[in-house]
Amino acid sequence: LIFIISLFLGTTITISSNHWVMAWTGLEINTLAILPLISKSHHPRAVEAATKYFLVQATASTLVLFSSMTNAWYTGQWDITQLTHSTSSLILTAAISMKLGLAPFHFWFPEVLQGSPLTTGLLLSTVMKFPPITLLFMTSQSLNPSLLTVLAILSVAMGGWMGLNQTQTRKIMAFSSIAHLGWMTIILVYYPKLTLLNFYLYTMMTAAVFLTLNSMKVLKLSTLMTAWTKAPSLSTILLLTLLSLAGLPPLTGFLPKWLIIQELTKQDMAPAAMIISLLSLLGLFFYLRLAYCATITLPPHTTNHMKQWHINKPISPSIAVLTTLSIMLLPISPMLAT
């Protein structure tokens, strides 16, 4: 309870601060609060994940502090929105990319997610990404657009390619997260509110997937193949949620991609929009594979896995609400577009 409260406290401090040192304090509280949650199983893998997480986040926090001090040294400003010095903004971009797990600083994220339980993985993929995204949002005026575009395209490419041959669901979700962050980054300078909208919808869909996997106790694809006997309706809904994460049209996940592509073409960045759309097909492949394993495979009788017992356990309300939102929010798009 203390750690969860500290998490939300750190997040709140960062997103409501105007001064760089306060933002940094919030990020530090966040990092220290999530570490026990990652390593609470005392498994060597979990401890290793916590150590990796700590080292990366400590480096990123140092860089945040360094960039804000350099900016204060040159301009006399500690205000977050007044990041005008070019070197500072470059260092900050690198630091926040590390914090978020944007390519080329993404290598720690799948490892850490694989070492932590599903619920902690959900926190790492959603809540922990919110403070750095808000910092990017507040400094978006002074960041370098071409650098962010390169980072974004790299992230979508790496998230897609490296997710292709994974069999662990947590690693697949990690690479999916890296790819989604690419979509958020590419539009940041041109239309920051779209970045936040994309983040909210991504958080919703990821939460739905993680909670579904957690309720079925699925950690790898082979378990997912036999999980349909345990909860058939949940598996069917998981199919739709995964396709929504992939961004297919009648579902919610299509909304941010559509708006981002539209905005990029308005900004004369049609080539970038085309590249990032084609690269997201890589992501579609592994979402389809997850969906295929969840619903379409009836494992043959020679399978080595025990069939799961069918449990008449009611689906939890949070999963029901989140999946409904993840599937059906596309009709609100005219309201957002205006």
Side-chain angles (χ1 to χ4, degrees), residues 144-195:
N144 182 346
S146 44
L147 172 68
L148 284 176
T149 308
V150 170
L151 288 180
I153 290 175
L154 258 178
S155 297
V156 179
M158 299 306 288
W161 265 313
M162 296 175 77
L164 288 181
N165 58 353
Q166 299 298 335
T167 54
Q168 302 284 340
T169 47
R170 284 170 293 186
K171 276 200 172 170
I172 291 179
M173 291 310 293
F175 287 118
S176 124
S177 176
I178 293 167
H180 274 274
L181 282 168
W183 279 91
M184 289 173 221
T185 314
I186 199 164
I187 201 65
L188 181 74
V189 177
Y190 307 105
Y191 201 158
K193 285 183 179 168
L194 260 187
T195 299

Side-chain angles (χ1 to χ4, degrees), residues 52-329:
K52 283 177 180 169
Y53 185 75
F54 173 72
L55 291 173
V56 172
Q57 297 295 317
T59 313
S61 290
T62 316
L63 283 175
V64 167
L65 212 51
F66 181 52
S67 86
S68 53
M69 279 169 69
T70 315
N71 188 58
W73 180 265
Y74 279 100
T75 61
Q77 275 289 354
W78 278 103
D79 195 322
I80 293 181
T81 50
Q82 305 292 323
L83 189 81
T84 46
H85 191 244
S86 57
T87 315
S88 302
S89 63
L90 284 176
I91 298 172
L92 182 83
T93 309
I96 301 288
S97 305
M98 263 189 208
K99 281 231 166 261
L100 288 171
L102 268 175
F105 307 104
H106 63 284
F107 288 100
W108 61 275
F109 189 54
E111 300 290 322
V112 171
L113 218 60
Q114 182 56 32
S116 40
L118 278 167
T119 39
T120 311
L122 171 60
L123 286 176
L124 280 170
S125 310
T126 55
V127 180
M128 297 302 289
K129 302 224 183 276
F130 190 41
I133 289 244
T134 50
L135 287 181
L136 278 182
F137 180 78
M138 286 191 276
T139 55
S140 62
Q141 312 308 320
S142 46
L143 299 174
N144 182 346
S146 44
L147 172 68
L148 284 176
T149 308
V150 170
L151 288 180
I153 290 175
L154 258 178
S155 297
V156 179
M158 299 306 288
W161 265 313
M162 296 175 77
L164 288 181
N165 58 353
Q166 299 298 335
T167 54
Q168 302 284 340
T169 47
R170 284 170 293 186
K171 276 200 172 170
I172 291 179
M173 291 310 293
F175 287 118
S176 124
S177 176
I178 293 167
H180 274 274
L181 282 168
W183 279 91
M184 289 173 221
T185 314
I186 199 164
I187 201 65
L188 181 74
V189 177
Y190 307 105
Y191 201 158
K193 285 183 179 168
L194 260 187
T195 299
L196 284 187
L197 170 74
N198 194 346
F199 178 74
Y200 298 144
L201 294 178
Y202 154 78
T203 301
M204 209 167 57
M205 296 183 289
T206 307
V209 172
F210 266 108
L211 291 173
T212 307
L213 293 175
N214 190 41
S215 74
M216 297 196 290
K217 300 282 177 284
V218 169
L219 293 178
K220 44 185 194 295
L221 289 183
S222 52
T223 333
L224 190 59
M225 284 183 180
T226 53
W228 63 273
T229 49
K230 195 194 280 189
S233 55
L234 202 53
S235 294
T236 315
I237 295 173
L238 179 64
L239 166 81
L240 286 171
T241 318
L242 285 165
L243 293 181
S244 182
L245 254 182
L248 289 186
L251 307 166
T252 308
F254 178 60
L255 170 59
K257 284 190 166 55
W258 171 31
L259 292 176
I260 286 172
I261 290 171
Q262 187 183 355
E263 187 59 34
L264 284 175
T265 41
K266 277 184 197 166
Q267 301 287 350
D268 289 337
M269 289 179 66
M274 190 182 73
I275 292 169
I276 203 169
S277 311
L278 287 173
L279 285 171
S280 66
L281 291 175
L282 293 166
L284 175 64
F285 177 82
F286 60 76
Y287 291 122
L288 277 176
R289 205 172 80 188
L290 266 176
Y292 179 79
C293 289
T295 51
I296 307 170
T297 47
L298 302 178
H301 296 300
T302 54
T303 175
N304 300 326
H305 302 286
M306 291 285 288
K307 288 284 199 303
Q308 311 273 357
W309 281 93
H310 183 92
I311 307 168
N312 280 331
K313 195 176 70 172
I315 298 175
S316 79
S318 55
I319 297 181
V321 170
L322 283 167
T323 42
T324 309
L325 289 174
S326 309
I327 295 165
M328 302 197 171
L329 273 191

Side-chain angles (χ1 to χ4, degrees), residues 18-50:
N18 286 320
H19 196 287
W20 273 114
V21 176
M22 281 304 288
W24 171 81
T25 312
L27 290 172
E28 285 299 299
I29 293 173
N30 251 1
T31 304
L32 294 175
I34 196 86
L35 286 172
L37 296 177
I38 298 174
S39 60
K40 82 171 177 258
S41 65
H42 300 299
H43 189 276
R45 192 70 199 265
V47 178
E48 181 192 342

